[in-house]
Amino acid sequence: MGSRLKVFIGNRLIAGLVTALLVLMLAQVLCAQTATGTPSSAADTNARLAILEQQAAAAKSSADNAWMLTSTALVLMMTGPGLALFYSGLVRKKNVLGTLMQSFALMAVVTVLWGLFSYSLSFGSGTSFIGGFQNLFLRSVGAAPDADYAPTIPAQTFMVYQLMFAIITPALIAGAFAERMKFSAMLVFTVLWSVIVYDPMAHMVWGKGGLLNASLGGRFPTLDFAGGTVVHVTSGVSALVCALYLGKRVGYPKESMPPHSVVLSFVGACLLWVGWFGFNAGSALAAGSLATSAFVATHFSAAAAAVGWAGVEWMRNGKPSALGAISGAVAGLVAITPASGFVKPMPALAIGLIAGVFCYWMVAKVKARLGYDDSLDAFGVHGAGGTLGALLTGVFAVSAVNPIFKDAQGHTLASGLLEGNAHQLLNQLVGVSIAWVLAIVGTLAILKVVDATIGLRVSEEEEAQGLDLSQHGEEGYYWEASA
């Protein structure tokens, strides 16, 4: 009994010692892990946070880039097929191909110019009036973003997006000289106009160091979100100069020259309306709330302008025409372009309604009274509507939509007249005046040079025959005799 008790007690002591040793060893391991695990865990957490931040930034960049590439395609669609169909439906059927070809040709020609030097002249660093040569042949324009313009998308995406604006702007002018300018003259005129008028205006309003650049400290900060002055004022005023210089079409206004297909124009106008979302909302250069605001303002303005134009026409003529309704929608799109990124929905409605009525008056009254032959009303819609929209931007712009103006301490300042910044209306007037002067002087000089060298107008015989056959040797419609 005593020996068994001794053995039992010995075994229990040995087990207790072993257990104590195991506990001590485990404690040492836990202490070692605790001593070395805290900094390791913190470092791991920081690394994971850094990876998450990189992934979030990459996701934002991808989303912004996807939206901008979509917007780029939408703006290109505005020229072809949008503007091409809209304009070609308004001419007589003997000029339908010639009118389509003008828009299509500019998609090719302006692209080549843009890649060679026009992008550099528009957006390269230079003087207050024109860019430099550092981006000739698209040098240094690649996958890396240009933080001054769009920090979340590749510089190449920004470049090709802006290219689409450069394409459609001279294409708008063609509405004034439709049915009477030689195709060769149109090409030379466009090349010179793009360099002499468009590139300097784009640099002044949007380029680094530009005189009118509101976001990069221009001397006269002009609010132009998507091209009121750069695109519509320059093209519309240039269109008026072209119409006056070339003179009227043979037989105008005594002969009736109705559109040969309002259906084509209707389809073109609808494509323009859809494409304009890329034009305006895309100018936010990111897929954020500003793009949404510009999208909504664009749609509301177009709708109100269509109602305004059609309503006035209905009261005056007793019937609302399809042509009037689509012309009104385009006028609203033009007028909201500079304001789209600065105004709320209700001011957008007001801008559209005013533009619809005003542009109808310019087309139905002023053009008839002055007697100029702006064939497709490029000035009445784009020149007049663009000027009106640029000035109204200075009235309705609010910092709640786009806090573009800030003081030295970073505090947001008022944007437009109704918000308390009366001086902005003067800045808008300066921007519009520069666009008018540059367009008038530049266009007139180019027309004189082209006229003196290769001639501008087709002959009376070619005009009677139509541009399709005289300039391209083909017809838009072949009517087969029935058996």
Side-chain angles (χ1 to χ4, degrees), residues 66 68 73 96 140 163-164 169 204 212 218 231 257 289 310 319 330 348 350 357 372 464:
M68 291 311 302
V96 60
S140 301
L163 163 61
M164 304 311 164
T169 306
M204 282 189 279
L212 306 174
V231 176
M257 299 179 182
S289 59
K319 296 178 182 178
V330 173
V357 175
Y372 59 87

Side-chain angles (χ1 to χ4, degrees), residues 110 114 118 121-123 128-130 158 161-173 193-208 210-214 220-239 276 279-280 283 334-339 342 382-383 385-391 393 427-428 430-440 443:
V110 175
W114 196 250
S118 278
L121 294 178
S122 297
F123 290 96
S128 297
F129 301 98
I130 192 70
F158 176 79
Y161 176 68
Q162 293 296 338
L163 163 61
M164 304 311 164
F165 286 69
I167 288 172
I168 195 171
T169 306
L172 295 172
I173 305 173
W193 191 90
S194 295
V195 177
I196 294 172
V197 178
Y198 184 84
D199 292 349
M201 196 66 206
H203 180 77
M204 282 189 279
V205 175
W206 294 328
K208 300 175 185 178
L211 180 71
L212 306 174
N213 194 312
F220 300 98
T222 301
L223 298 178
D224 188 352
F225 192 71
T229 54
V230 179
V231 176
H232 298 295
V233 174
T234 57
S235 64
V237 174
S238 296
W276 225 290
F279 201 79
N280 288 358
S283 291
V334 168
I336 199 61
T337 292
F342 302 108
H382 296 278
T387 299
L388 176 70
L391 296 177
T393 301
N427 290 334
Q428 298 300 113
V430 170
V432 167
S433 298
I434 290 175
W436 270 74
V437 171
L438 180 60
I440 292 172
T443 302

Side-chain angles (χ1 to χ4, degrees), residues 239-398:
L240 177 62
V241 175
C242 286
L244 293 173
Y245 188 92
L246 267 72
K248 303 172 185 178
R249 288 167 289 178
V250 175
Y252 181 89
K254 295 180 180 179
E255 294 181 14
S256 177
M257 299 179 182
H260 91 280
S261 176
V262 177
V263 172
L264 288 183
S265 296
F266 202 98
V267 173
C270 291
L271 288 169
L272 283 171
W273 192 328
V274 174
W276 225 290
F277 294 127
F279 201 79
N280 288 358
S283 291
L285 302 175
S289 59
L290 184 57
T292 299
S293 180
F295 195 110
V296 171
T298 299
H299 189 63
F300 275 42
S301 180
V307 171
W309 185 306
V312 174
E313 186 180 48
W314 199 342
M315 288 186 291
R316 184 170 181 260
N317 300 332
K319 296 178 182 178
S321 69
L323 182 57
I326 62 176
S327 297
V330 173
L333 292 165
V334 168
I336 199 61
T337 292
S340 56
F342 302 108
V343 302
K344 293 182 177 182
M346 292 304 103
L349 276 175
I351 290 173
L353 186 62
I354 295 169
V357 175
F358 178 69
C359 291
Y360 171 80
W361 177 73
M362 289 295 299
V363 169
K365 290 288 188 179
V366 174
K367 184 176 80 166
R369 185 170 300 174
L370 298 181
Y372 59 87
D373 184 11
D374 178 5
S375 309
L376 311 183
D377 297 316
F379 173 71
V381 173
H382 296 278
T387 299
L388 176 70
L391 296 177
L392 291 180
T393 301
V395 175
F396 291 110
V398 290

